[in-house]
């Protein structure tokens, strides 16, 4: 078969001094860091929607990029051309995973039975393409936000019929995820929220979302899905307020509804910053709850209040992300580039440059995070910071169980407050810079 990206070579690692725009400067798949290869640390994934579907349309203008891949858009021939393009793209970059929404794969028909038939046909084709490659599905999901029927929510809709449509899509998307061997299944609640509380029964809506998730777990397990379900928190956009606001909120919801054994978090960097958190904060909250599952690797723009889904270039942020990931012992999921080219970056070459940038950014993040851990100064500082709980009798008592009575008596004997200890932030930031720039 003739190539779609015929003028783009196989992308290889050439090292930091290379000036070749089609080479990795830092991502060296087989390089071993802290006992694992970079490829094992960084299961990168291509997002079907941004890479193969989105062509630059925004609120003010139409497509700027040609994503027809030689076929007429809106046809099954085009759906197959996207598969061909996607597999060639992944192979040329050494990417071994992809993520998809049901309707990224085929043109949606008016009748759900016809959409499902098309999905069967295209996933047969994807399975064929997977043969003889290392390419696998990272996670699947159902798009329950684009179709106008979901304007007032999917799991949180006021309409029992719309709820059934949502259930049908979840059921099918789960079947497809199992068919393609997906590691995970994502719920991103784009329309699961509200515009005004004047028309919203919040408790009823949240209980209904939990019912849908419980049915998904039950069905998924019954058809052999052994992976993790994920919630991908996002505070707003498209809705004014979304129920899965941030990791802490989503984890609380999962625990309240007894879903915490089957679910983990899929943390997206740009969603974290929209929630007023750092990316690292969301990762830490997930990790300390044993729920750091997967990552949507992108970045936002601090000057803009919406989800710009930019390819990650911020090495500080990637380093602090990888610090959390290494400390958590890795991901059960992977790093999905839920990122899109800027609208004026409209050539096929730009698609490759974006992934080279993003993969190199995370490779650097991994190298620097490992160096930060091996350096030990940050860990040492944090350990020392809390040492009054581990090195003193009273501290040990607090950890092992005591009473307010005993602690109050101890405080009375102290006389004055003990010397406050420095938080050392500027020192630690200079350690970080020292690791970053050597
Ligand atoms: C939207 C978003 C989605 C999810 C999957 O902000 O991140 O693409 O990742 O539905
Ligand atoms: Co996402």
């Amino acid at each position: 078969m003739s190539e779609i990206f015929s003028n783009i070579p196989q992308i290889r690692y050439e090292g930091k001094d290379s000036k070749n725009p089609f080479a990795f400067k830092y991502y060296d798949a087989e390089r071993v860091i802290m006992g694992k290869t970079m490829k094992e640390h960084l299961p990168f994934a291509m997002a079907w929607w941004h890479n193969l579907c989105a062509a630059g349309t925004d609120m003010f203008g139409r497509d700027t990029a040609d994503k027809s891949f030689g076929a007429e858009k809106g046809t099954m021939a085009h759906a197959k051309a996207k598969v061909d393009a996607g597999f060639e793209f992944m192979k040329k970059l050494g990417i071994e995973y992809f993520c998809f929404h049901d309707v990224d794969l085929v043109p949606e028909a008016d009748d759900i039975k016809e959409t499902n038939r098309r999905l069967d046909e295209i996933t047969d084709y994807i399975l064929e393409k997977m043969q003889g490659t290392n390419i696998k599905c990272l996670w699947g999901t159902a798009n329950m936000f684009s179709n106008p029927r979901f304007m007032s929510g999917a799991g949180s809709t006021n309409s029992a019929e719309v709820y059934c449509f949502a259930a049908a899509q979840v059921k099918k998307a789960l079947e497809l995820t199992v068919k393609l061997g997906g590691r995970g299944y994502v719920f991103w609640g784009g329309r699961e929220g509200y515009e005004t509380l004047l028309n919203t029964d919040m408790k009823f809506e949240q209980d209904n979302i939990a019912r849908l998730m419980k049915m998904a777990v039950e069905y998924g397990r019954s058809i052999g899905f052994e992976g993790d379900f994920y919630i991908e928190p996002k505070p707003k956009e498209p809705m004014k307020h979304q129920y899965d606001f941030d990791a802490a909120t989503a984890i609380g919801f999962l625990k309240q509804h007894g879903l915490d054994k089957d679910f983990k978090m899929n943390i997206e960097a740009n969603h974290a910053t929209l929630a007023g958190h750092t990316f690292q904060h969301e990762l830490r909250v997930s990790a300390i709850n044993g729920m750091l599952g997967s990552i949507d690797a992108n970045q936002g723009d601090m000057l803009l209040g919406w989800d710009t889904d930019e390819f990650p270039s911020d090495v500080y942020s990637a380093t602090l992300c990888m610090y959390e990931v290494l400390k958590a012992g890795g991901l059960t999921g992977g790093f999905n580039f839920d990122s899109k080219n800027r609208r004026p970056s409209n050539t096929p070459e730009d698609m490759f440059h974006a992934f080279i940038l993003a993969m190199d950014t995370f490779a650097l993040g991994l190298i620097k995070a490992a160096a930060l851990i091996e350096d030990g100064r940050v860990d040492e500082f944090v350990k020392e910071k809390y040492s009054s709980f581990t090195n003193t009798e009273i501290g040990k008592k607090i950890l092992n169980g005591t009473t307010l009575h005993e602690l109050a008596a101890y405080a009375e004997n102290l006389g004055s407050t003990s010397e406050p200890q420095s938080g050392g932030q500027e020192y630690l930031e200079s350690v970080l810079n020292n690791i970053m720039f050597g």
Side-chain angles (χ1 to χ4, degrees):
M1 193 199 304
S2 65
E3 288 195 329
I4 291 172
F5 303 104
S6 52
N7 55 338
I8 313 274
Q10 182 71 33
I11 312 297
R12 298 181 203 285
Y13 170 73
E14 290 187 2
K16 69 179 172 50
D17 295 326
S18 167
K19 300 281 185 284
N20 177 0
F22 294 105
F24 296 119
K25 316 296 181 297
Y26 305 101
Y27 180 65
D28 180 4
E30 300 306 328
R31 174 171 166 190
V32 175
I33 294 192
M34 290 178 86
K36 285 201 284 186
T37 62
M38 275 199 172
K39 200 167 81 172
E40 288 166 329
H41 279 291
L42 299 167
F44 289 131
M46 177 193 76
W48 213 268
W49 53 102
H50 283 316
N51 210 44
L52 305 173
C53 307
T57 293
D58 71 9
M59 269 97 83
F60 300 95
R62 54 181 187 270
D63 286 357
T64 55
D66 179 7
K67 298 263 175 100
S68 63
F69 305 120
E72 194 190 332
K73 282 190 160 184
T75 63
M76 282 304 281
H78 181 235
K80 287 193 176 159
K82 288 196 295 184
V83 177
D84 294 338
F87 273 75
E88 187 186 324
F89 186 84
M90 287 185 277
K91 279 187 205 162
K92 285 196 162 161
L93 282 154
I95 295 222
E96 297 195 343
Y97 294 91
F98 61 87
C99 298
F100 72 92
H101 300 84
D102 43 5
V103 302
D104 302 335
L105 301 181
V106 294
E108 198 176 359
D110 288 338
D111 174 6
I112 196 166
K113 280 189 276 190
E114 171 57 15
T115 305
N116 287 350
R117 194 203 58 73
R118 293 178 188 178
L119 286 167
D120 290 338
E121 185 184 329
I122 204 71
T123 46
D124 284 347
Y125 189 57
I126 293 176
L127 271 185
E128 238 175 75
K129 297 287 283 198
M130 282 164 70
Q131 299 286 320
T133 75
N134 291 327
I135 297 175
K136 303 164 277 288
C137 169
L138 183 66
W139 51 256
T141 189
N143 176 328
M144 304 192 293
F145 43 89
S146 294
N147 193 303
R149 68 168 68 101
F150 297 122
M151 68 179 185
S152 298
S156 60
T157 178
N158 57 303
S159 157
E161 286 184 359
V162 171
Y163 195 90
C164 293
F165 274 108
Q169 273 190 249
V170 171
K171 175 173 178 285
K172 188 67 187 175
L174 266 167
E175 290 164 4
L176 300 175
T177 302
V178 171
K179 178 171 172 181
L180 299 175
R183 278 190 183 190
Y185 183 87
V186 163
F187 281 91
W188 169 60
R191 303 278 176 196
E192 316 291 30
Y194 62 81
E195 297 298 333
T196 171
L197 282 176
L198 289 172
N199 67 10
T200 303
D201 185 338
M202 188 191 278
K203 177 163 172 23
F204 183 80
E205 292 197 358
Q206 292 192 357
D207 287 348
N208 263 356
I209 294 171
R211 285 186 185 100
L212 185 62
M213 289 181 174
K214 278 182 195 162
M215 288 188 274
V217 170
E218 218 172 80
Y219 184 67
R221 299 303 179 215
S222 81
I223 59 168
F225 177 62
E226 289 172 1
D228 289 317
F229 289 86
Y230 301 123
I231 283 186
E232 183 179 323
K234 185 177 182 183
K236 58 187 168 188
E237 195 206 11
M239 300 302 264
K240 171 183 162 175
H241 180 100
Q242 280 163 205
Y243 293 134
D244 301 326
F245 191 93
D246 59 3
T249 311
I251 291 167
F253 168 86
L254 292 171
K255 289 190 172 168
Q256 182 191 352
H257 293 281
L259 287 158
D260 50 310
K261 298 286 170 288
D262 292 284
F263 274 78
K264 289 190 165 70
M265 294 295 112
N266 180 40
I267 296 299
E268 177 164 325
N270 203 162
H271 296 179
T273 48
L274 286 179
H277 301 308
T278 59
F279 185 20
Q280 191 188 8
H281 169 95
E282 288 293 83
L283 298 167
R284 180 76 63 91
V285 170
S286 308
I288 63 175
N289 283 283
M291 286 200 204
L292 178 55
S294 206
I295 285 175
D296 269 13
N298 63 11
Q299 70 185 38
D301 183 324
M302 291 308 162
L303 300 183
L304 302 175
W306 64 92
D307 200 10
T308 56
D309 284 343
E310 295 171 27
F311 279 92
S313 63
D314 181 338
V315 179
Y316 275 96
S317 173
T319 299
L320 295 173
C321 165
M322 293 313 299
Y323 179 77
E324 297 301 320
V325 171
L326 288 174
K327 291 267 177 183
L331 300 175
T332 50
F335 296 80
N336 168 42
F337 293 120
D338 192 355
S339 315
K340 62 181 178 226
N341 281 98
R342 297 305 83 195
R343 193 164 182 264
S345 303
N346 63 341
T347 67
E349 286 79 1
D350 288 311
M351 293 167 68
F352 282 86
H353 289 151
F355 272 71
I356 292 168
L357 166 71
M359 292 164 76
D360 269 344
T361 297
F362 270 83
L364 264 174
L366 170 63
I367 294 166
K368 297 299 177 184
L372 195 60
I373 291 171
E374 277 160 1
D375 173 83
R377 278 175 286 173
V378 169
D379 280 345
E380 185 53 38
F381 188 95
V382 174
K383 191 167 161 224
E384 177 58 28
K385 183 178 172 198
Y386 299 97
S387 60
S388 70
F389 285 89
T390 45
N391 290 352
T392 67
E393 283 316 305
I394 192 67
K396 286 183 197 159
K397 273 194 175 161
I398 294 169
L399 297 189
N400 294 328
T402 177
T403 63
L404 282 184
H405 188 267
E406 187 176 8
L407 299 184
Y410 189 89
E412 278 166 26
N413 285 335
L414 282 175
S416 65
T417 35
S418 49
E419 263 321 286
Q421 190 194 339
S422 166
Q425 182 170 338
E426 295 77 3
Y427 160 67
L428 294 168
E429 286 167 349
S430 84
V431 170
L432 179 58
N433 273 355
N434 180 228
I435 297 293
M436 297 296 275
F437 301 104

